[in-house]
C-alpha cells in the first residue's frame, strides 16, 4: 500500500496554534498592566500624566531599536531563542516592579521590560505569519492578532482588578502577572520547535537556508544595505498609517483612570469586555473580506466608527457596554488589516523583517500616545484628549486611502 498517497495535508492554520497561545499569554500580561499602570502612577505613586507619558516615550525609543532587530537576530540565532530570551526578560522585570514599588523602580524596570516584550512579541508574531500562505494573510492576521487581542482585552482588566484587590496590593499585581509570563515561557520552551528539530529534516533545513540567503537581496537582485537590512521598504506606508492609528487607540490606556476619576464606583472593565466581544467576532468576516476586496473598504468606515465613540465619551455618554461593542467593531478593522496589508506586500522571505517594521511602528504610536495624551490631559483635561483622538482617527483614514497600496494575495 502506498502510504504517501494517504497522507493528508493539515489545515493551513495549524502552524499558528502554538504561536497564538504564546501571544495570548504575552498580550494578556501586557494588557493587564497597560490598563492599570496609569492608576498605579497617578493614584498610588502620585505622579502626573505627563510623567507617565514620558515613560511611554522611553519605551518607544527602545522599541524602535529592538523590534526591527528581531528579524535579523532571529535569522542568526533562531526565532525560538529570541522568543525565550524575550519572555524571560519580560517576566523578570515585571516581578521587579512589584518588589521595588517606587517611581524610580517603575521607570527603570518598565523600560527594561520593553526589551523582553519587543523580542518575545515580535518573534511570536513572525512565527505565526511565516506559518501561513500569503493569500490567507488577511484571515490569518485577524486570527493571530485578533484572538490574543480579544483575550487580552477581556481578561486584562478583570485580572488586574482581581490581583490588585480591595486592599490595593500592587506587589501581588506585578508578581502575579510575572507568574503568568513564566507559564508562557514554559509553553514556548516545550512546544515551539527550535533549530535542532527543524535541522533534523534536511529538506526543511535546505529550504530555510535558501530563504535566509534570498532575503538578503531585493527584487532587482541587489543586496539590502544600510537601514533596509532591518526595515522593509514595502511596509513603510502601512507603518506610517499604523503610527497614527496606534496613537489614537492607545490613549484608551487612560480610560480606566478617567472613569475612576469621573464616575466613582464604576469600572472601565465592562467597556473593554464588550469591545473584545465584537472585535473578536468581526475578525472572522473582516479578514476574508480584506483578502477579496482590499484594505480600504474596511479601514475607512472603522476609523469613522472609532471617532464617533470618542465623541460620545467626550460628551459624557456612559452607556459603557454599547460604546464598547461599537468600538470593538471599529478597532477590528484597523490594526490587523494594516498588518495583513504589509504582509501581502512584502516578499515572503522578508516577513520577519516586515513584521519587525510593523511592530516598531505600533510601539512608536504607543509611546507617542501616552506622552502626547498625557500632556493634553494635564493641559486640557480628559475631554480635550478625547477630541484630540477623534482628529487622529480621521487622519488615519486619510493616510490609509492616500498611502497604502495593497498587493493582491497570490494563489
Amino acid at each position: 500500500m502506498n502510504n504517501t498517497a494517504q497522507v493528508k495535508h493539515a489545515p493551513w492554520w495549524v502552524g499558528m496554534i502554538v504561536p497564538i497561545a504564546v501571544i495570548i499569554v504575552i498580550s494578556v500580561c501586557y494588557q493587564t498592566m497597560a490598563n492599570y499602570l496609569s492608576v498605579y502612577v497617578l493614584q498610588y505613586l502620585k505622579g502626573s500624566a505627563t510623567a507617565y507619558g514620558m515613560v511611554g516615550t522611553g519605551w518607544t525609543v527602545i522599541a524602535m531599536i529592538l523590534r526591527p532587530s528581531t528579524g535579523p537576530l532571529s535569522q542568526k540565532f533562531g526565532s525560538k531563542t529570541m522568543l525565550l530570551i524575550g519572555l524571560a526578560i519580560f517576566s523578570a522585570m515585571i516581578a521587579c516592579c512589584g518588589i521595588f514599588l517606587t517611581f524610580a523602580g517603575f521607570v527603570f524596570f518598565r523600560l527594561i521590560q520593553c526589551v523582553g516584550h519587543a523580542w518575545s512579541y515580535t518573534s511570536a508574531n513572525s512565527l505565526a505569519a511565516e506559518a501561513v500562505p500569503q493569500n490567507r494573510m488577511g484571515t490569518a492576521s485577524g486570527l493571530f492578532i485578533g484572538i490574543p487581542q480579544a483575550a487580552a482585552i477581556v481578561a486584562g482588566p478583570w485580572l488586574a482588578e482581581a490581583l490588585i484587590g480591595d486592599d490595593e496590593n500592587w506587589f501581588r499585581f506585578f508578581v502575579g502577572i510575572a507568574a503568568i509570563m513564566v507559564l508562557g515561557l514554559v509553553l514556548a520552551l516545550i512546544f515551539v520547535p527550535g533549530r535542532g528539530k527543524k535541522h533534523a529534516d534536511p529538506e526543511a533545513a535546505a529550504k530555510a537556508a535558501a530563504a535566509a540567503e534570498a532575503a538578503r537581496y531585493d527584487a532587482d537582485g541587489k543586496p539590502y544595505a544600510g537601514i533596509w537590512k532591518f526595515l522593509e521598504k514595502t511596509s513603510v506606508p502601512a507603518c506610517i498609517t499604523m503610527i497614527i492609528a496606534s496613537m489614537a487607540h492607545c490613549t484608551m490606556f487612560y480610560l480606566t483612570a478617567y472613569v475612576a476619576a469621573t464616575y466613582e464606583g464604576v469600572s472601565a472593565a465592562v467597556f473593554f469586555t464588550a469591545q473584545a466581544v465584537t472585535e473578536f467576532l468581526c475578525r472572522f468576516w473582516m479578514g476574508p473580506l480584506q483578502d477579496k476586496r482590499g484594505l480600504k473598504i474596511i479601514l475607512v468606515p472603522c476609523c469613522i466608527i472609532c471617532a464617533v465613540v470618542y465623541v460620545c465619551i467626550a460628551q459624557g455618554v456612559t452607556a459603557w457596554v454599547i460604546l464598547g461593542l461599537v468600538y470593538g467593531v471599529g478597532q477590528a478593522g484597523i490594526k490587523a488589516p494594516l498588518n495583513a496589508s504589509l504582509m501581502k506586500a512584502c516578499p515572503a522571505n522578508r516577513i520577519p523583517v516586515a513584521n519587525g517594521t510593523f511592530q516598531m511602528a505600533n510601539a512608536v504610536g504607543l509611546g507617542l500616545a501616552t506622552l502626547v495624551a498625557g500632556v493634553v490631559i494635564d493641559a486640557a483635561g480628559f475631554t480635550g484628549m478625547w477630541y484630540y483622538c477623534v482628529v487622529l482617527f480621521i487622519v488615519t483614514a486619510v493616510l490609509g486611502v492616500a498611502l497604502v497600496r495593497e498587493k493582491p494575495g497570490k494563489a
Side-chain angles (χ1 to χ4, degrees):
M1 182 179 293
N2 188 352
N3 292 329
T4 304
Q6 295 188 13
V7 175
K8 295 182 179 180
H9 292 290
W12 63 268
W13 44 264
V14 168
M16 293 194 299
I17 293 177
V18 176
I20 285 177
V22 176
I23 298 169
I24 287 175
V25 173
I26 299 170
S27 299
V28 168
C29 291
Y30 177 84
Q31 193 76 21
T32 301
M33 289 190 296
N35 287 120
Y36 275 79
L37 285 180
S38 59
V39 178
Y40 172 63
V41 172
L42 299 181
Q43 295 186 7
Y44 181 81
L45 298 178
K46 306 302 181 183
S48 67
T50 300
Y52 173 64
M54 291 181 67
V55 177
T57 300
W59 179 287
T60 296
V61 172
I62 296 172
M64 286 178 63
I65 298 170
L66 293 181
R67 290 195 178 190
S69 72
T70 308
L73 287 172
S74 295
Q75 290 175 338
K76 183 175 182 180
F77 299 108
S79 294
K80 180 174 182 176
T81 300
M82 298 307 302
L83 178 61
L84 294 176
I85 292 174
L87 289 170
I89 294 173
F90 197 27
S91 57
M93 293 303 102
I94 294 171
C96 286
C97 279
I99 297 171
F100 302 94
L101 292 169
T102 63
F103 186 75
F106 167 72
V107 172
F108 180 75
F109 295 116
R110 178 65 174 165
L111 294 180
I112 301 179
Q113 281 177 34
C114 184
V115 178
H117 185 269
W119 284 343
S120 61
Y121 186 74
T122 306
S123 297
N125 275 269
S126 294
L127 285 166
E130 289 179 297
V132 301
Q134 281 185 295
N135 66 306
R136 296 277 194 173
M137 201 59 74
T139 304
S141 183
L143 295 176
F144 70 75
I145 289 180
I147 293 175
Q149 193 170 49
I153 292 170
V154 171
W158 297 112
L159 177 61
E161 292 189 2
L163 291 173
I164 295 170
D166 295 334
D167 57 341
E168 296 188 359
N169 191 322
W170 291 100
F171 170 82
R172 183 174 58 221
F173 173 76
F174 287 111
V175 174
I177 296 171
I180 297 172
M181 281 298 303
V182 171
L183 292 178
L185 175 62
V186 173
L187 178 67
L189 181 64
I190 296 173
F191 293 106
V192 174
R195 279 189 167 183
K197 185 174 180 180
K198 292 180 179 179
H199 288 176
D201 182 350
E203 183 178 352
K207 288 182 178 180
E213 177 64 19
R216 295 176 54 225
Y217 303 94
D218 61 21
D220 298 324
K222 297 179 180 179
Y224 289 102
I227 194 173
W228 303 117
K229 290 181 179 179
F230 305 96
L231 301 180
E232 174 56 37
K233 287 183 180 180
T234 60
S235 303
V236 171
C239 287
I240 292 174
T241 307
M242 186 58 209
I243 289 173
I244 306 301
S246 184
M247 287 180 65
H249 167 64
C250 289
T251 53
M252 273 297 175
F253 294 152
Y254 284 104
L255 182 67
T256 304
Y258 165 71
V259 172
T262 310
Y263 307 99
E264 186 176 354
V266 179
S267 171
V270 66
F271 173 92
F272 295 113
T273 301
Q275 173 195 342
V277 171
T278 49
E279 186 169 344
F280 177 72
L281 294 175
C282 286
R283 302 286 186 188
F284 291 95
W285 63 267
M286 284 189 178
L289 177 62
Q290 181 182 7
D291 287 335
K292 293 181 179 180
R293 301 287 300 276
L295 172 71
K296 297 178 181 62
I297 194 173
I298 299 173
L299 180 67
V300 174
C302 285
C303 286
I304 294 173
I305 289 172
C306 290
V308 170
V309 170
Y310 276 73
V311 170
C312 291
I313 295 175
Q315 289 293 317
V317 176
T318 58
W320 299 114
V321 173
I322 295 175
L323 289 174
L325 292 171
V326 175
Y327 188 70
V329 176
Q331 275 302 306
I334 299 178
K335 180 177 178 179
L338 281 169
N339 178 268
S341 178
L342 65 89
M343 294 297 184
K344 287 172 178 284
C346 75
N349 54 22
R350 294 277 291 181
I351 283 178
V353 181
N355 183 58
T357 307
F358 180 78
Q359 296 303 334
M360 180 193 73
N362 190 26
V364 170
L366 167 61
L368 292 175
T370 53
L371 174 63
V372 179
V375 173
V376 173
I377 290 170
D378 287 339
F382 280 103
T383 299
M385 190 267 289
W386 300 129
Y387 281 118
Y388 148 77
C389 292
V390 171
V391 175
L392 291 183
F393 277 117
I394 294 172
V395 173
T396 299
V398 172
L399 290 176
V401 172
L403 297 182
V404 181
R405 299 289 182 269
E406 186 175 286
K407 184 177 70 174
K410 296 180 180 179

